[in-house]
Amino acid sequence: MSRRREKTRIVFYMETLSGGGAERALMTFLKHLPRSRYEIALRAVSAHGPLACEIPSDVDFKALLPSFEGLSGWRLALYKLRYKLVYSLPSGVLHRLLRPSSPQAPDVEIAFVEGLTTKIVAAGEGGGAKRVAWVHCDLKHFPWPVGQGVFRDASAQARAYAAFDEVVAVSDVALKAFEEVAARSGVRIYNPVDHGAVTAFGESVCRTSPDTPLRLVVVGRVTHVKGVDRLLDALALLAAEGLDFRLTVVGTGDALAACREKAVSLGLRDKVDFTGFLDAPQALSRECDILVCPSRHEGFNLAIVEGMMLGLPVVSTASGGPDEILEGGKWGVLTENSVEGLAYGLRQMLTRADLRRRCRALSLRRSGDFNLERSLEAFDRLIGKLLNP
């Protein structure tokens, strides 16, 4: 007998609602999964993050901790104490606190990002619900859940993933790394990208003879793994050669302050702007000329696909997911994963208008391979296979 009801109740679990690629991909799913087939709930450890305001009104949302936006003094200190308390609780307890209870018990529970949410769902008593884990990074080369102590070691992480009925990776690169690390199979579903939302502000304009310096843009979290620090090193080399440009970094993260300081120390104060998080980075990106991904490791990279949908030429390090998106350099400039590699690729793109024109056309062609409908169809197939084997 099929377990599937008239509507399938799905609960997504997240740690926070920050502006990273995983959180943005989740919001796209929440907005576009058909309500004729699904009842959707979202559970978070903390409601903090700029994407909290994007949760659709018909999604059943609950967080153990509110946002700490605007808190200061003793209120912020109290929040931090509560934060530490929650994170010290056993994962099974966190699951009981978060999981919807009967009669709204879920059919499917999805840990939509690596780390704590994976640990929580794995440790919980599922009550018959199918469990799915989503993997957004290369766990072989960027094993952050173990490195940050979420899991004691790689074996503990593998045991957690063994508790899931299915594991989804966002690229073939991420899937292969996961299968090596966890010693189990998974499936690949590309992150959903809403072409209409991305291009709502129009495509970019590729300038061939700019009267002003060419504009570079990076979109994403400003953390060590995202490599903005070494992009600054590469741009300092190009500035010393006399090349003119402007860089805009869109996003926030724990390396933001250090990158601001580094830009000043490298003499790039007048060439680099940091905007912080933007609700609609596409509006700014379309005014730029080249999208850059300087990451050390990537599971996918949503910003590259969105930039390609806008018609931006792409320069990216060979860092995993970008290799797959650009197919080894077929659809853009793929560089060695180093400061020197970035400098070389950017030098080519900055000095060659013909290369920018060609890569603009390639971006628009390739972006058609990543669309919302395919990701939603893949999601439907996954749920159908789990509940109706």
Side-chain angles (χ1 to χ4, degrees):
M1 181 181 296
S2 169
R3 298 178 67 253
R4 199 162 187 175
R5 303 184 299 224
E6 182 179 349
K7 288 187 180 182
T8 299
R9 184 164 179 82
I10 297 178
V11 181
F12 292 91
Y13 291 81
M14 290 296 287
E15 187 168 354
T16 69
L17 299 170
S18 68
E23 291 82 4
R24 290 167 60 212
L26 173 61
M27 289 302 146
T28 303
F29 271 130
L30 295 183
K31 292 172 183 177
H32 293 282
L33 286 173
R35 299 322 195 248
S36 60
R37 295 198 294 276
Y38 300 113
E39 293 178 6
I40 302 171
L42 172 61
R43 296 294 184 261
V45 178
S46 170
H48 186 73
L51 295 183
C53 62
E54 292 193 21
I55 300 171
S57 60
D58 62 351
V59 170
D60 171 17
F61 174 62
K62 174 185 176 182
L64 292 181
L65 294 170
S67 172
F68 57 83
E69 188 73 29
L71 296 182
S72 61
W74 68 267
R75 290 183 176 84
L76 181 58
L78 180 60
Y79 181 94
K80 290 181 178 179
L81 286 175
R82 294 177 60 195
Y83 192 92
K84 289 181 180 179
L85 175 61
V86 166
Y87 276 76
S88 68
L89 292 174
S91 300
V93 172
L94 291 174
H95 183 263
R96 287 195 295 273
L97 292 171
L98 285 168
R99 186 179 189 268
S101 58
S102 182
Q104 295 182 315
D107 296 300
V108 182
E109 294 187 277
I110 299 178
F112 200 71
V113 74
E114 318 83 29
L116 183 60
T117 51
T118 297
K119 191 175 182 179
I120 289 172
V121 176
E125 297 178 2
K130 297 296 184 180
R131 292 186 280 196
V132 182
W134 234 263
V135 176
H136 292 265
C137 71
D138 181 335
L139 285 173
K140 180 179 180 181
H141 297 101
F142 183 48
W144 71 266
V146 174
Q148 294 186 12
V150 178
F151 294 103
R152 183 176 63 254
D153 52 35
S155 296
Q157 178 177 256
R159 287 193 297 272
Y161 279 113
F164 287 86
D165 297 283
E166 188 60 273
V167 177
V168 177
V170 297
S171 67
D172 290 327
V173 169
L175 178 60
K176 181 179 179 182
F178 165 77
E179 291 178 338
E180 290 184 28
V181 169
R184 63 159 292 175
S185 62
V187 298
R188 185 265 287 158
I189 297 178
Y190 285 131
N191 278 333
V193 188
D194 184 350
H195 184 276
V198 172
T199 59
F201 299 95
E203 294 178 359
S204 68
V205 178
C206 186
R207 298 176 296 165
T208 55
S209 300
D211 297 323
T212 57
L214 287 169
R215 298 159 297 186
L216 315 175
V217 63
V218 175
V219 181
R221 290 179 295 115
V222 187
T223 60
H224 175 76
V225 73
K226 294 298 184 177
V228 173
D229 59 320
R230 61 182 186 161
L231 172 60
L232 296 174
D233 287 326
L235 292 178
L237 295 176
L238 300 181
E241 296 172 11
L243 292 180
D244 201 4
F245 53 82
R246 294 293 183 273
L247 168 68
T248 301
V249 178
V250 180
T252 188
D254 57 21
L256 179 59
C259 286
R260 288 180 185 274
E261 293 175 3
K262 186 166 191 171
V264 173
S265 67
L266 291 173
L268 300 174
R269 181 197 297 269
D270 297 330
K271 294 181 177 294
V272 181
D273 293 311
F274 296 88
T275 69
F277 177 83
L278 296 179
D279 290 327
Q282 302 87 0
L284 185 149
S285 293
R286 70 172 297 274
E287 300 298 328
C288 296
D289 302 290
I290 302 164
L291 184 131
V292 187
C293 172
S295 294
R296 291 176 168 88
H297 301 291
E298 280 286 354
F300 182 66
N301 195 278
L302 199 59
I304 289 180
V305 175
E306 292 180 343
M308 296 177 94
M309 287 181 173
L310 294 170
L312 286 171
V314 175
V315 176
S316 175
T317 53
S319 48
D323 307 51
E324 190 169 329
I325 297 170
L326 298 178
E327 291 191 336
K330 179 179 178 181
W331 304 101
V333 174
L334 195 67
T335 78
E336 290 184 0
N337 201 331
S338 65
V339 171
E340 293 76 16
L342 275 167
Y344 178 83
L346 287 167
R347 185 184 297 110
Q348 298 302 305
M349 194 70 85
L350 286 168
T351 59
R352 292 181 52 190
D354 64 316
L355 180 61
R356 296 194 298 276
R357 286 195 300 270
R358 182 165 66 87
C359 286
R360 170 181 167 81
L362 292 172
S363 285
L364 292 170
R365 284 175 55 193
R366 176 58 168 163
S367 66
D369 294 331
F370 303 96
N371 63 64
L372 178 62
E373 289 72 23
R374 289 182 185 178
S375 295
L376 293 176
E377 289 170 2
F379 185 95
D380 281 338
R381 288 194 299 271
L382 170 72
I383 302 303
K385 182 178 178 181
L386 285 171
L387 299 182
N388 298 281

